[in-house]
Amino acid sequence: QVQLVESGGGLVQPGGSLRLSCAASGSTLGDSDIGWFRQAPGQEREDVACITSDSRNTHFGDSVRGRAAISRDNAKNTVYLHMSSLKPEDTAAYFCAVIPKTFMAFMGACPVHAVDHWGQGTQVTVSS
């Protein structure tokens, strides 16, 4: 199983931007579709973005569409989530995870229930 570690979170002012990284250890993520998810306190976990192994297809959640970009560097075994125009409601713990290929292939999406293994996540706080 690919082990993923999220990083790049922190305190960001409203309107700011950040880049989160999802790095694989112990195995390569080059053959895996990867998704980013987030969970705010008291709320359900939601999908943010996902990308296929070949970077040809991406999906974005409604709450971040137009403000997020997802990319990957398979040579560095890392997937990135770029977010801009951040809002206080973007405050959450952000997680990356491997997505079974059938979801992006047949749904073009990465629902939360597609994930069976979660990492520690990285906290993003948007506040002035």
Side-chain angles (χ1 to χ4, degrees), residues 15 23-24 26 33 44 56-57 76 81 87-88 104 116 124:
D33 293 357
E44 294 186 353
R56 289 184 178 181
N57 293 297
K76 295 184 177 179
L81 177 69
K87 307 173 184 179
M104 281 296 284
D116 60 11
V124 172

Side-chain angles (χ1 to χ4, degrees), residues 5-10 12 16-23 29 34-39 46-51 58-61 63-73 77-86 90-97 110 121-124 126:
V5 178
E6 305 90 343
S7 64
V12 185
S17 60
L18 56 70
R19 186 183 77 169
L20 303 180
S21 299
C22 172
L29 55 64
I34 301 294
W36 279 98
F37 304 83
R38 69 184 185 184
Q39 186 166 20
E46 63 174 347
D47 64 299
V48 176
C50 43
I51 186 169
T58 59
H59 162 79
F60 296 93
S63 59
V64 301
R65 190 170 291 119
R67 302 187 295 120
I70 187 170
S71 62
R72 63 192 299 158
D73 186 338
N77 239 8
T78 303
V79 174
Y80 304 99
L81 177 69
H82 305 253
M83 292 188 64
S84 60
S85 301
L86 286 164
D90 292 317
T91 295
Y94 284 72
F95 304 86
C96 63
C110 47
T122 185
Q123 178 67 35
V124 172
V126 182

Side-chain angles (χ1 to χ4, degrees), residues 6 37 45 95-97 112-113 115-120:
E6 305 90 343
F37 304 83
R45 196 164 296 191
F95 304 86
C96 63
V112 172
H113 66 77
V115 179
D116 60 11
H117 179 77
W118 297 100
Q120 295 297 312

